[in-house]
Amino acid sequence: MRATASATATMRRHVTDRLLYFECCELGRFRGGSVTSYDLMAIGSPLCPSLMGLNEFKTKFAREVAHVAPDRDYPIRKAFYRSLVVTRKAVVHLRDLRRARPA
């Protein structure tokens, strides 16, 4: 049986919490303790309700939540980014066609 972070048994063992704790401890030792903050990013908000489930997990490590304005991506490799956007649109379109087809 494969264990994933979302599996019930894995959640009971707090594997994700332990991994995050390990990362924070290692970052605390990095460069003589010069790393003083760690951003978990992608916390849910009314702008992105699909991420609201992350709030409980991410806010148990810190009380402060930094609100960041959305849509700040700046593609460095513009051709590669454009190919990803086009591919994503094609995948969504094909999925929609498949769902619309009568069974």
Side-chain angles (χ1 to χ4, degrees):
M1 179 175 99
R2 255 176 61 184
T4 62
S6 60
T8 304
T10 304
M11 286 176 18
R12 279 193 213 120
R13 289 186 299 226
H14 302 285
V15 172
T16 309
D17 296 1
R18 291 176 185 192
L19 175 62
L20 186 59
Y21 180 75
F22 171 78
E23 290 173 4
C24 290
C25 289
E26 290 301 307
L27 285 171
R29 287 192 279 262
F30 186 68
R31 293 191 179 191
S34 64
V35 177
T36 58
S37 65
Y38 184 60
D39 187 359
L40 294 175
M41 297 177 60
I43 195 166
S45 74
L47 296 172
C48 190
S50 64
L51 297 176
M52 292 298 252
L54 297 172
N55 289 3
E56 182 181 348
F57 173 74
K58 292 184 176 184
T59 56
K60 69 181 162 186
F61 298 103
R63 294 178 190 200
E64 298 174 19
V65 175
H67 296 280
V68 179
D71 297 327
R72 299 286 184 200
D73 290 342
Y74 182 77
I76 303 297
R77 297 179 181 162
K78 293 179 182 180
F80 179 68
Y81 182 79
R82 178 74 183 137
S83 70
L84 291 175
V85 170
V86 168
T87 303
R88 176 69 183 146
K89 286 182 181 179
V91 167
V92 169
H93 180 69
L94 290 172
R95 184 185 62 211
D96 292 344
L97 286 175
R98 186 179 302 157
R99 287 181 181 169
R101 189 175 16 162

